[in-house]
Amino acid sequence: MKVLTADQMREVDRATIEQYGVPGISLMENAASRTVEIAEARFGSFDGKSALVICGRGNNGGDGAAIARLIHAKGASVLLLLLGRVEDARGDARENFETARRIASSNSDTFRLIEVETSEQLKREAASRAHDVMFDAMLGTGLARPAAGLFQEAIELLNDYARRSPLIAVDVPSGLASDSQDLIGLAVKAHLTVTFTAPKPANVLPPASVYNGEVLVADIGSPRELVQEAGSMLNLVEPDMVAAWLAASRRQPTANKGDVGKVLIIAGSRGKTGAACLAGEAALRSGCGLVTIATPASSQPIVAARAVAECMTEPLSETESGAVAREASDRAIELAAARDVVAIGPGLGSADESSRDFVRVVVSRTERPTVIDADGLNALAPWTERFGAIAESRLILTPHPGEMSRLIDKPVDEVVRNRVAIARDFATKSKAILVLKGSRTLIAAPDGEVYVNPTGNPGMASGGTGDVLTGMIAGLIAQKPDDPIQAVIAAVYLHGHAGDIAAEWRGTRSMLASDITAMLGQAFIEVGGRVERLTRKRL
């Protein structure tokens, strides 16, 4: 699903009106209707409830006025607070405020429209009764500077009331700059945001996205081709996208273990064997047919004992510190040639120059798709054009912000502030697929498209979760190596989804990386559907 900026969204609306003949007032009515429908499904019937709707004078406020009318028709008692005067509104918004004023004049007991011009008036009217449900329709997508004056006070008021009652934001929570992940000032903290036609950057990118609560996208009548043609290269990953990849990579009835992919994982070192075991099991649980873990010779017996029995192991030459040595590169390349995908780095160690040389040689000479994580990334930092020349079509890098900062030699805080731009720039220049991990992990493709993953939770901020993801990416690519970017997107989404399932069972405080692997089967079934589960047939 495309993520649109405010300008792109305005162009979609304009083209919908001018090219397709859909009146602007109809788009506003559709936006209000879909918001009411979604809010009712989420929080229950409006009949008999008291509702507070706070509006600005622009189109977002016009949506709010229409929402107030519709929920009143459903039996709600409505207090509509307009920050300003009806006469100052324009166009379709003015028409909806005029309609609301007519309703208020004949239904004064159950529908009140108050034009608010002072702080004292705002507080007095809002406190005049309790509110069962609230709608924020103040500022929408046009904000470029911090909310101030009455708008700031209304945001504070809604956030205070939201501790007791549901708060629904219309399109974008007021106070957020719709095109930015950054907080520019005080913002509404919604329980639910209903955004129109397509999500906006502030709906999906943290920290701003945290203020949205649950986000649902409402179709209000703009043709989908206009959204696709708007020029956005930022996307939100949807479950249907992952389900389609699962269907395309599904095992045939006659499949054998060689048909569904062979993975080589080069991982582990003295004291870090767990990373190799986590990656190996995750690759197998992702559905590939065979997994071999190549690890330093002294670690091999430990990995063989601790990894799931289905994983094979291979010893590699090692340094005195128990890390893999450069001399092991020929053997590793030989092992890689007999597999479909290579993953390198988890727990490998990068303190020894010999180990770093090993990674550089293997990455440079291996011809298979290669997933590089953890110490594998550290061995390649800082990134040079020499690696970029071999990256096209076969390198998948999975850094967290600290590893990314070392790759590009920029401060971590700069990486965090500019995640989308940095991920896109690196992927396009290096021709590699980049997975920039974190809250809302990003997947950047060499063609400049960036995908925002919506799954996952704070419980995944735990050692080993990256090793599980590395194994999953390798395991999925092995099953369908002709479409690596879609396999990576599927792996990241399913990794987060399995983490969400694990958090339901374990809670975010006590869940471990291995809990994610344990829930992968359920994640595949929930996203891929019943066909992911075998139904036994009687002969």
Side-chain angles (χ1 to χ4, degrees), residues 143 275 381:
L143 190 66

Side-chain angles (χ1 to χ4, degrees), residues 34 41 122-123 284 311 366 377 440-441 463 479 491 496 510 513 530:
R34 290 290 288 123
L122 171 68
K123 294 174 182 177
L284 280 172
C311 280
T366 298
L377 295 168
R440 295 291 169 95
T441 291
Q479 295 167 67
S510 66
R530 292 177 59 189

Side-chain angles (χ1 to χ4, degrees), residues 318-514:
E318 63 184 31
T319 65
E320 290 184 3
S321 64
V324 67
R326 187 191 191 287
E327 291 73 25
S329 57
D330 286 344
R331 177 57 179 158
I333 293 165
E334 179 184 356
L335 291 169
R339 273 78 181 175
D340 300 298
V341 179
V342 176
I344 184 169
L348 200 62
S350 60
D352 291 340
E353 191 60 32
S354 180
S355 300
R356 295 170 65 88
D357 284 344
F358 167 85
V359 172
R360 295 168 187 147
V361 170
V362 171
V363 169
S364 298
R365 291 175 50 193
T366 298
E367 297 181 356
R368 299 290 186 252
T370 304
V371 186
I372 310 171
D373 184 36
D375 288 326
L377 295 168
N378 293 331
L380 300 179
W383 188 264
T384 68
E385 292 182 2
R386 176 167 69 92
F387 300 126
I390 61 162
E392 190 166 7
S393 302
R394 71 173 187 84
L395 293 191
I396 302 94
L397 282 66
T398 63
H400 57 57
E403 291 160 346
M404 191 73 216
S405 74
R406 289 189 286 275
L407 281 173
I408 62 175
D409 196 25
K410 291 184 178 180
V412 174
D413 61 347
E414 184 174 343
V415 173
V416 173
R417 286 197 313 269
N418 302 286
R419 296 171 73 233
V420 173
I422 282 175
R424 177 181 288 123
D425 183 67
F426 186 91
T428 54
K429 288 180 178 177
S430 70
K431 302 302 180 184
I433 296 171
L434 183 78
V435 178
L436 183 53
K437 295 183 291 193
S439 177
R440 295 291 169 95
T441 291
L442 303 178
I443 305 101
D447 63 1
E449 295 284 351
V450 177
Y451 302 84
V452 183
N453 179 62
T455 61
N457 61 81
M460 298 174 73
S462 178
T465 57
D467 305 322
V468 171
L469 178 60
T470 295
M472 288 184 63
I473 292 173
L476 293 191
I477 293 176
Q479 295 167 67
K480 199 174 187 299
D482 63 329
D483 195 4
I485 183 63
Q486 295 301 321
V488 173
I489 291 169
V492 172
Y493 184 93
L494 291 162
H495 178 257
H497 189 62
D500 291 339
I501 299 171
E504 291 178 6
W505 287 92
R506 296 288 192 185
T508 56
R509 193 183 301 272
S510 66
M511 65 180 286
L512 303 175
S514 54

Side-chain angles (χ1 to χ4, degrees), residues 265-277 293-296 299 303 322-324 345-349 375:
I265 295 176
I266 305 173
S269 60
R270 189 175 299 163
K272 298 180 180 179
T273 53
C277 298
I293 302 175
T295 192
S299 297
V303 171
V324 67
L348 200 62
D375 288 326

Side-chain angles (χ1 to χ4, degrees), residues 151-396:
F151 289 94
Q152 179 180 344
E153 293 183 29
I155 290 171
E156 292 173 344
L157 182 147
L158 284 176
N159 285 343
D160 181 43
Y161 288 173
R163 292 181 293 177
R164 299 177 292 276
S165 302
L167 172 56
I168 299 102
V170 179
D171 210 8
V172 175
S174 293
L176 296 181
S178 66
D179 291 356
S180 176
Q181 68 176 23
D182 298 321
L183 300 175
I184 61 171
L186 187 69
V188 163
K189 297 178 181 177
H191 297 103
L192 169 70
T193 297
V194 181
T195 193
F196 307 131
T197 305
K200 320 309 182 288
N203 295 138
V204 301
L205 294 173
S209 62
V210 175
Y211 284 69
N212 289 261
E214 181 183 4
V215 177
L216 294 175
V217 180
D219 181 356
I220 63 172
S222 293
R224 299 314 299 171
E225 56 265 29
L226 291 180
V227 176
Q228 294 300 316
E229 295 166 1
S232 173
M233 298 188 77
L234 186 63
N235 310 269
L236 180 66
V237 180
E238 298 179 276
D240 287 350
M241 184 178 183
V242 180
W245 185 89
L246 290 173
S249 63
R250 192 159 292 129
R251 297 183 179 195
Q252 296 301 311
T254 57
N256 62 59
K257 60 189 178 184
D259 296 332
V260 292
K262 294 174 283 187
V263 172
L264 173 66
I265 295 176
I266 305 173
S269 60
R270 189 175 299 163
K272 298 180 180 179
T273 53
C277 298
L278 286 168
E281 182 175 1
L284 280 172
R285 291 289 184 188
S286 297
C288 65
L290 292 167
V291 170
T292 301
I293 302 175
T295 192
S298 63
S299 297
Q300 188 264 341
I302 302 171
V303 171
R306 293 183 58 190
V308 291
E310 293 84 354
C311 280
M312 298 176 287
T313 62
E314 285 280 347
L316 296 174
S317 300
E318 63 184 31
T319 65
E320 290 184 3
S321 64
V324 67
R326 187 191 191 287
E327 291 73 25
S329 57
D330 286 344
R331 177 57 179 158
I333 293 165
E334 179 184 356
L335 291 169
R339 273 78 181 175
D340 300 298
V341 179
V342 176
I344 184 169
L348 200 62
S350 60
D352 291 340
E353 191 60 32
S354 180
S355 300
R356 295 170 65 88
D357 284 344
F358 167 85
V359 172
R360 295 168 187 147
V361 170
V362 171
V363 169
S364 298
R365 291 175 50 193
T366 298
E367 297 181 356
R368 299 290 186 252
T370 304
V371 186
I372 310 171
D373 184 36
D375 288 326
L377 295 168
N378 293 331
L380 300 179
W383 188 264
T384 68
E385 292 182 2
R386 176 167 69 92
F387 300 126
I390 61 162
E392 190 166 7
S393 302
R394 71 173 187 84
L395 293 191
I396 302 94

Side-chain angles (χ1 to χ4, degrees), residues 95-126:
E95 185 173 338
N96 268 323
F97 285 124
E98 294 285 7
T99 300
R101 185 152 60 182
R102 289 193 295 271
I103 294 172
S105 66
S106 57
N107 297 270
S108 58
D109 291 339
T110 58
F111 194 106
R112 297 177 64 213
L113 168 59
I114 308 295
E115 297 169 300
V116 176
E117 298 186 86
T118 67
S119 173
E120 292 74 16
Q121 186 185 15
L122 171 68
K123 294 174 182 177
R124 182 179 66 251
E125 295 295 345

